[in-house]
Amino acid sequence: MVESPPPRPARTRNPLLGVLRLAFRLVVGVVILLDELVRPLYRPLLNWLAALKLVQRFEAWVGRLPAYAVLVLIVVPYGVVEPVKFLALIHIANGHVRTGTVLFLLAHLVSFVLIERIFSAGKAQLMTVRWMAYVIETAASVHRSVVEWLRLDELKRRARALWRWARLRLR
């Protein structure tokens, strides 16, 4: 006769992990909201870049890399761009508003474009790393929740209709 394994003890929740998960979801939610507001401004640039042969070859190369190499390719631009954003804010604080703002916007643009292309090309590899898959899936889940909660699709539809109406009236 085969004995069944003893029952597992009830899993206790670590309150610190719960707080960290909540903080992660809040940060991701804010980033998603900002991204949804700004994305229409840089989407045409992303589409144009994605159509370039050089970018397509780069994405094919990234698609053949192992997961941790893709992760390094994502982390390195952050390591360069984030200090540039900080320096741009220092320029703004020191009274060089135009220079700092242009530098800040360029740094954001580089990070959006480069990270977006690397991530889209290497997502399949990143999903093979357990903790990275968790981060990606959690971000996607929070993204869906934020979009649904704020009814962003409806908001975007109304904003586009208002924009078309304003363009027609102001001609």
Side-chain angles (χ1 to χ4, degrees), residues 33 145-153 155:
L33 181 58
S145 298
V146 168
V147 167
E148 289 171 12
W149 183 64
L150 294 175
R151 298 184 184 131
L152 287 178
D153 292 333
L155 254 144

Side-chain angles (χ1 to χ4, degrees), residues 23-155:
F24 176 70
R25 285 179 172 269
L26 288 173
V27 168
V28 169
V30 169
V31 169
I32 288 168
L33 181 58
L34 291 174
D35 183 55
E36 287 293 322
L37 293 172
V38 176
R39 185 176 292 271
L41 300 175
Y42 68 87
R43 179 174 283 142
L45 177 64
L46 286 178
N47 293 340
W48 176 76
L49 282 170
L52 295 175
K53 289 283 187 203
L54 178 66
V55 173
Q56 291 173 355
R57 280 191 231 125
F58 174 72
E59 289 177 357
W61 175 72
V62 170
R64 293 188 299 269
L65 292 174
Y68 284 101
V70 174
L71 192 57
V72 167
L73 279 180
I74 288 174
V75 169
V76 167
Y78 276 123
V80 172
V81 171
E82 292 308 314
V84 171
K85 291 177 188 176
F86 183 71
L87 290 174
L89 292 174
I90 290 173
H91 274 332
I92 292 169
N94 287 333
H96 305 286
V97 177
R98 274 191 237 140
T99 306
T101 302
V102 168
L103 188 59
F104 190 74
L105 292 174
L106 284 174
H108 269 288
L109 184 65
V110 166
S111 86
F112 281 145
V113 170
L114 191 57
I115 301 301
E116 178 102 15
R117 300 305 344 142
I118 294 170
F119 179 77
S120 65
K123 183 178 179 186
Q125 294 94 311
L126 293 173
M127 293 300 283
T128 64
V129 178
R130 189 170 163 218
W131 64 267
M132 194 66 203
Y134 171 80
V135 169
I136 292 169
E137 288 300 322
T138 301
S141 170
V142 172
H143 182 272
R144 283 189 299 274
S145 298
V146 168
V147 167
E148 289 171 12
W149 183 64
L150 294 175
R151 298 184 184 131
L152 287 178
D153 292 333
E154 176 67 18
L155 254 144

